[in-house]
Amino acid sequence: MSFPGDQLIPLVDEGLGNSAYLLDLGDGRALAVDASRDLRALHAAAERRGLTVAYAADTHLHADFLSGAVQLAHDHGATILASAAGLRAFDHQGLTDGDEVDLGGLTLRTLATPGHTDEHISLLLLDGRDELGVFTGGSLIVNSAARTDLLGIDRTQELARAQYRSLKRLTALPDGTAVWPTHGAGSFCSAPPGSERTTTIGAQKQANPLLAATDEDSFVSQLTASLGSYPAYFDRLGEANRRGPAVITGTPLLTDLSAERVRALVADGGHVVDVRPAAEYAAGHIPGSLSIPLRGQFATWLLPDTAPLVFLTADGQDLGEIVWQAYKIGYERLAGRLAGGTGAWTAAGHRLTTTVFVTADRADGRPYVDVRQESEFTAGHVPGAFNIELGGLAHVAADAPEGAVVACGHGERAMTAASLLERAGHTDLAVLDGGPADYAAAHGEQLVQGTDDRS
């Protein structure tokens, strides 16, 4: 039987760069795969079709988001399907290699595919004996494979070798088998990131450069050479997912706070996160605040969750989006938002500070610090630029050149970087309103490829 494409609903989280899937089983029930704790899109898709989620499957202990499986068990009565080797501390059906789950007409077969994590599984969807597609999670992804360094640098090579064997196993499936990965474009788990979300086994045999590696050693070298930095919260979410995220009841809200209450929270170790557009932050912000413009990638750059967070917002920004993005990665110490914004802050007698935000034609004469991922930098950068990935900047802020122009692709990540550098004591910084192509065009230069070209 051919598989009706409209039965499978991909739910793409552009901010995380990941895809969850909702499979309509045809009888009012559904299977959810790798759903995050932010279930707004999934619930809406299920409601549109009149579906109840009967099964919530996770391919692995996710490091980049909290799983929504426990919440789906609470909200829908879903049976949680996950690797038995993950030793999850909540009710679930533990799966081992070869186990099959009858979905009511379709079957889900477990394939052990370690590499991205030790307990990683892929889930092969069968109609009788026909392989319809495989949920590959963080194993085989479009034109790549997921990173293998999340369990520590000392295990990277070992897990990369496991990843090699897992990909060999998956590519033994028929060429027409659909591949439905979790990680994709924009995901820190992709190594390197790609652009397409789904593929087939046959297409990957032709196009995936990792599958063209001549042997296991070459595969390992190629995969590990593409690993960039990743956010600090990755180090704790695997264990948080093993224990199981707390169930959310009701809609979490941000409380309005006075300027004096915000000042007291900061004095007690709290942090101010300014989610306004980069230009508004540059024009005037609370000293020491962190700039993270509210967009799909917002939560990726939040501070460690060891202190309360206060938010400074612009008129019309979606407060619910702030909360759900934070909750999705386990940030729940949200103290509230500054009522009245910067106007309330200055009215209470407190000062603002500014950051220089310049167009490319006014950014000459400064060291150029590029905070994009290494893969982005390598693809094309300003000659002589310093590459310090934003994900690792806080650890090396003292090494950044003074008086630099800080840049990324458009300006948002660069403003975040500048706010981190200012917190670390840097002064006389500027942020580029634009990207490397804008700078090169304004200064009559050509972008160069490869690694750092400074002599």
Side-chain angles (χ1 to χ4, degrees):
M1 132 180 184
S2 61
F3 184 59
D6 63 353
Q7 281 185 241
L8 184 69
I9 307 167
L11 301 165
V12 179
D13 186 323
E14 298 288 354
L16 290 177
N18 289 330
S19 297
Y21 299 90
L22 185 68
L23 176 64
D24 184 345
L25 299 176
D27 58 359
R29 300 176 310 130
L31 163 73
V33 179
D34 287 341
S36 84
R37 197 185 195 192
D38 180 1
L39 292 166
R40 290 175 295 171
L42 188 147
H43 279 150
E47 185 176 347
R48 283 194 300 271
R49 292 188 174 225
L51 299 174
T52 297
V53 178
Y55 301 95
D58 274 332
T59 57
H60 59 291
L61 290 166
H62 302 288
D64 50 345
F65 60 86
L66 286 179
S67 168
V70 171
Q71 190 73 40
L72 287 170
H74 176 270
D75 294 348
H76 291 249
T79 297
I80 299 173
L81 307 174
S83 170
L87 302 177
R88 288 163 173 82
F90 49 87
D91 288 342
H92 67 287
Q93 182 174 337
L95 303 176
T96 59
D97 189 49
D99 284 351
E100 294 187 348
V101 178
D102 182 359
L103 302 177
L106 299 174
T107 301
L108 209 58
R109 179 182 294 162
T110 306
L111 305 177
T113 49
H116 185 46
T117 65
D118 282 313
E119 43 72 57
H120 192 288
I121 57 175
S122 295
L123 297 168
L124 179 62
L125 186 66
L126 300 164
D127 178 17
R129 300 179 64 180
D130 295 334
E131 296 94 344
L132 301 178
V134 58
F135 298 100
T136 55
S139 190
L140 178 63
I141 61 181
V142 179
N143 295 340
S144 188
R147 65 192 308 149
T148 60
D149 60 336
L150 297 181
L151 300 184
I153 193 66
D154 57 322
R155 304 222 34 226
T156 301
Q157 295 271 330
E158 169 200 349
L159 288 170
R161 293 185 184 281
Q163 189 77 295
Y164 175 80
R165 295 187 289 272
S166 292
L167 264 60
K168 287 292 186 183
R169 183 179 192 188
L170 289 168
T171 53
L173 293 169
D175 284 357
T177 307
V179 175
W180 302 310
T182 299
H183 302 312
S187 170
F188 282 95
C189 286
S190 300
S195 57
E196 297 300 318
R197 298 288 179 185
T198 61
T199 182
T200 65
I201 293 295
Q204 285 308 286
K205 287 179 179 178
Q206 296 295 319
N208 193 321
L210 287 172
L211 297 181
T214 55
D215 54 32
E216 185 173 316
D217 288 340
S218 299
F219 174 92
V220 170
S221 296
Q222 189 173 338
L223 177 63
T224 57
S226 64
L227 302 176
S229 62
Y230 57 82
Y233 69 84
F234 274 42
D235 292 331
R236 61 180 176 80
L237 286 199
E239 175 59 17
N241 278 318
R242 190 195 68 78
R243 295 194 309 268
V247 169
I248 300 170
T249 56
T251 302
L253 302 172
L254 282 181
T255 302
D256 279 346
L257 303 173
S258 68
E260 290 311 316
R261 179 59 182 149
V262 170
R263 187 175 176 86
L265 282 165
V266 171
D268 200 33
H271 301 288
V272 175
V273 179
D274 193 322
V275 305
R276 297 174 300 156
E280 292 187 38
Y281 177 88
H285 56 269
I286 296 173
S289 60
L290 181 68
S291 170
I292 313 180
L294 182 59
R295 62 199 194 284
Q297 298 79 14
F298 161 71
T300 300
W301 305 113
L302 281 174
L303 289 159
D305 66 334
T306 54
L309 302 182
V310 175
F311 296 93
L312 179 57
T313 63
D315 291 341
Q317 287 187 309
D318 185 347
L319 303 185
E321 186 67 16
I322 296 171
V323 173
W324 281 115
Q325 286 209 41
Y327 270 53
K328 180 169 57 181
I329 60 169
Y331 283 74
E332 297 183 25
R333 300 187 66 183
L334 311 183
R337 65 145 180 176
L338 173 59
T342 54
W345 185 256
T346 55
H350 309 310
R351 71 181 183 90
L352 299 175
T353 189
T354 60
T355 299
V356 177
F357 196 33
V358 295
T359 53
D361 59 312
R362 300 180 58 197
D364 54 345
R366 293 173 175 267
Y368 189 105
V369 175
D370 189 327
V371 300
R372 296 176 299 160
Q373 292 288 101
E374 184 180 355
S375 59
E376 298 174 89
F377 181 83
T378 301
H381 61 268
V382 169
F386 295 81
N387 183 215
I388 308 176
E389 290 188 8
L390 178 54
L393 180 63
H395 303 294
V396 295
D399 299 329
E402 291 290 345
V405 59
V406 186
C408 58
H410 301 95
E412 290 89 355
R413 282 178 289 173
M415 194 62 74
T416 301
S419 66
L420 285 169
L421 291 171
E422 289 172 355
R423 285 163 61 96
H426 283 264
T427 59
D428 193 30
L429 292 171
V431 173
L432 179 63
D433 183 6
D438 303 304
Y439 186 94
H443 297 276
E445 298 177 334
Q446 297 292 319
L447 296 181
V448 293
Q449 296 180 336
T451 54
D452 194 338
D453 61 314
R454 288 175 289 109
S455 58

